[in-house]
């Protein structure tokens, strides 16, 4: 899994969250969140793929690469 980058909005520390059968990344400080990706219960490969997609989605958000 890739490292989760800091929030592009506030610089806060994000965390990977799970809700029912989906995974997403959200900032602990400002609450910004990326897209959610579904997985099949009791299928570790499916969960890992969903988690990796959520992290890649979060890391590609607008704001990265701009000077602050």
């Amino acid at each position: 899994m890739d490292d989760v980058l800091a929030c592009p909005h506030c610089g806060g520390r994000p965390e990977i969250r799970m809700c029912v059968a989906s995974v997403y990344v959200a900032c602990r400080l400002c609450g910004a969140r990326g897209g959610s990706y579904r997985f099949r219960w009791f299928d570790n490969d499916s969960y890992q793929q969903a988690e990796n997609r959520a992290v890649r989605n979060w890391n590609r958000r607008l704001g990265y690469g701009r000077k602050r």
Side-chain angles (χ1 to χ4, degrees), residues 1-18 24-34 54-61 64:
M1 180 180 73
D2 297 332
D3 290 332
V4 183
L5 299 176
C7 178
H9 303 291
C10 71
R13 188 173 65 180
E15 64 184 357
I16 298 170
R17 295 183 182 170
M18 184 173 68
Y24 63 94
V25 177
C27 177
R28 298 173 120 191
L29 190 60
C30 72
R33 63 177 277 180
V55 170
R56 280 193 307 257
N57 175 269
W58 174 264
N59 287 345
R60 282 194 292 240
R61 295 185 63 162
Y64 292 116

Side-chain angles (χ1 to χ4, degrees), residues 7-68:
C7 178
H9 303 291
C10 71
R13 188 173 65 180
E15 64 184 357
I16 298 170
R17 295 183 182 170
M18 184 173 68
C19 179
V20 185
S22 62
V23 178
Y24 63 94
V25 177
C27 177
R28 298 173 120 191
L29 190 60
C30 72
R33 63 177 277 180
S36 63
Y37 296 91
R38 296 187 57 79
F39 64 92
R40 290 183 302 277
W41 283 104
F42 306 111
D43 184 347
N44 194 41
D45 290 336
S46 176
Y47 175 81
Q48 285 298 320
Q49 288 175 355
E51 185 177 281
N52 288 339
R53 289 179 68 196
V55 170
R56 280 193 307 257
N57 175 269
W58 174 264
N59 287 345
R60 282 194 292 240
R61 295 185 63 162
L62 293 176
Y64 292 116
R66 283 192 281 166
K67 293 184 180 179
R68 297 184 189 254

